[in-house]
Amino acid sequence: MLKPRALIANLKPYRSPILSRAGLSLDLNESMAGCSRRVLARLRSVTARDVSLYAEREVGERLVADFLGVAPEQVLLTNGMDEGLSLVFSAYLDQGDELLFADPTFVMYPVLGEALGARVVRVQAGEELALPVADLVARISPRTRVIAIANPNNPTGLAARREDLLKIVEAAPEAAVVIDEAYYEFCGETLIPKLARHPNLFVGRTFSKAYGLAGLRLGVLVGAAEQISFLRRFGLPFNVNSLVLACLEEALADQAFVVEHVAQVKRGRAQLEDLFRELGLRFWPSQTNFVLVRVGAELKAFVEAMQRRGVIVRDSSANPGCQGCARITVGTPAQMDGVLQAIRESIAETKR
Ligand code: PMP
């Protein structure tokens, strides 16, 4: 009988996090504001040639490099940041090597590490859920080959201090340290200017969040040119589709869209936080487009009550340290009144 590698056969079945697309999906941290009209216009002008030919990723890499102020050799475009993470993990983790990260964090890190047969070393954050910097540094070993840190973090929305992140980068010169900046635009803190001094540092970005292009799939991996060249050797050559490459220039040029969207998200985020404060619910002050809130023992009933009101929120209780917590993506200004009302009613109903 045909059998996959034992590592693959032993993986738990992957469950798509998409529960339902009916109603308002505030469970996946997508942009509720859609994308730039200029990007849509470019997509509508796509030609048969754009579709029938393999796209030139390198042209896009030059655009992104210019935008980020780095050299094109330092940039790899990927099929969403998920693929970029997968490439870094595959390049540096041999079986038995250690993947190090702090819980709670992005759920793909352990999945990718386990698939490679890495030893997954998890450090638990304290009650505040802040990045446990000293504990992470203490767990660095000669076998640590990848350290993954989402900054700001998912699902907490918290950002760590730049000096603390650099402490970790400096403490592990033999490991690839990936700073996953998927939510950069909502926070404004980046380690990209530090790449020149740290050849083991990678920074990841995505067009899925603030640019509203999750469905088109485009991620960016930035690192030392030499390390990126290793990734190019085994990464698939046509991983990025022609449609997203066709509209990349417009997406980058329309910063007015991004700025306005980020401002709206910050206002909606403050509305959510004000409501949680009023309701006496513990929440973590967010630097992203979502907020983590502790509902408590009634979490399941709350998520269901929200769903009955047409709002899908994420049950984050399986993420270590997030027992009883829901993660809620910020909606558009037009959606927020309904979202706030649904939260009020659902809390009243479940906390009776
Ligand atoms: N990193 C983090 C922290 C994320 O939250 C996400 C999306 N949920 C990703 C990476 C992956 O994003 P994408 O593959 O859509 O670029």
Side-chain angles (χ1 to χ4, degrees), residues 12 49 142 157 175 201 207 238 292 297 304 309 327:
K12 285 194 237 56
R49 197 184 150 80
L201 173 62
F207 285 82
F238 302 113
L292 185 73
E304 284 163 17
R309 287 167 176 81
R327 194 192 65 193

Side-chain angles (χ1 to χ4, degrees), residues 80-82 85 106 150 154 180 182-183 206 208-209 217:
M81 201 199 300
D82 282 345
L85 293 166
F106 186 40
N154 172 10
D180 171 345
Y183 301 95
T206 180
S208 295
K209 309 297 177 183
R217 313 301 299 130

Side-chain angles (χ1 to χ4, degrees), residues 68-319:
L68 296 176
V70 297
E73 298 73 38
Q74 292 183 266
V75 174
L76 182 67
L77 293 185
T78 56
N79 197 272
M81 201 199 300
D82 282 345
E83 192 202 17
L85 293 166
S86 172
L87 287 171
V88 173
F89 286 29
S90 312
Y92 301 99
L93 287 169
D94 250 332
Q95 284 200 29
D97 283 344
E98 291 174 4
L99 162 66
L100 175 62
F101 60 84
D103 279 316
T105 195
F106 186 40
V107 291
M108 282 306 292
Y109 301 159
V111 173
L112 293 170
E114 280 163 21
L116 292 165
R119 218 168 83 73
V120 177
V121 180
R122 318 172 78 124
V123 175
Q124 181 61 46
E127 172 60 21
E128 297 298 319
L129 302 185
L131 188 73
V133 179
D135 291 349
L136 271 173
V137 169
R139 293 299 294 273
I140 293 168
S141 86
R143 300 255 13 208
T144 309
R145 303 287 288 128
V146 174
I147 303 175
I149 301 173
N151 197 63
N153 196 10
N154 172 10
T156 64
L158 301 173
R161 295 182 329 156
R162 179 196 275 240
E163 308 84 82
D164 285 337
L165 296 172
L166 288 173
K167 230 181 259 173
I168 296 165
V169 175
E170 282 162 12
E174 306 285 311
V177 182
V178 191
I179 306 297
D180 171 345
E181 297 183 353
Y183 301 95
Y184 158 74
E185 291 82 3
F186 305 104
C187 165
E189 283 285 326
T190 179
L191 249 53
I192 285 181
K194 301 289 172 187
L195 283 164
R197 298 192 51 180
H198 299 282
N200 62 325
L201 173 62
F202 291 86
V203 173
R205 293 279 184 88
T206 180
F207 285 82
S208 295
K209 309 297 177 183
Y211 288 81
L213 301 178
L216 280 180
R217 313 301 299 130
L218 186 63
V220 180
L221 200 59
V222 199
E226 190 187 3
Q227 301 302 322
I228 293 290
S229 81
F230 289 126
L231 303 188
R232 281 191 214 286
R233 292 185 201 180
F234 75 100
L236 301 178
F238 302 113
N239 57 337
V240 177
N241 70 77
S242 60
L243 302 186
V244 79
L245 288 171
C247 63
L248 177 57
E249 192 165 11
E250 285 300 313
L252 289 172
D254 196 358
Q255 285 302 309
F257 169 83
V258 178
V259 167
E260 173 57 22
H261 174 58
V262 167
Q264 283 189 357
V265 164
K266 288 183 177 172
R267 287 196 289 274
R269 187 167 85 185
Q271 286 180 298
L272 281 175
E273 294 177 348
D274 286 346
L275 177 61
F276 297 147
R277 211 173 278 119
E278 181 195 319
L279 296 173
L281 298 175
R282 171 80 188 268
F283 67 90
W284 284 264
S286 170
Q287 304 259 44
T288 60
N289 65 346
F290 57 84
V291 182
L292 185 73
V293 60
R294 177 158 282 146
V295 175
E298 306 85 355
L299 176 69
K300 275 215 156 33
F302 169 76
V303 172
E304 284 163 17
M306 290 293 285
Q307 197 158 359
R308 266 185 268 116
R309 287 167 176 81
V311 186
I312 318 291
V313 300
R314 181 67 165 264
D315 177 339
S316 287
S317 54
N319 212 325

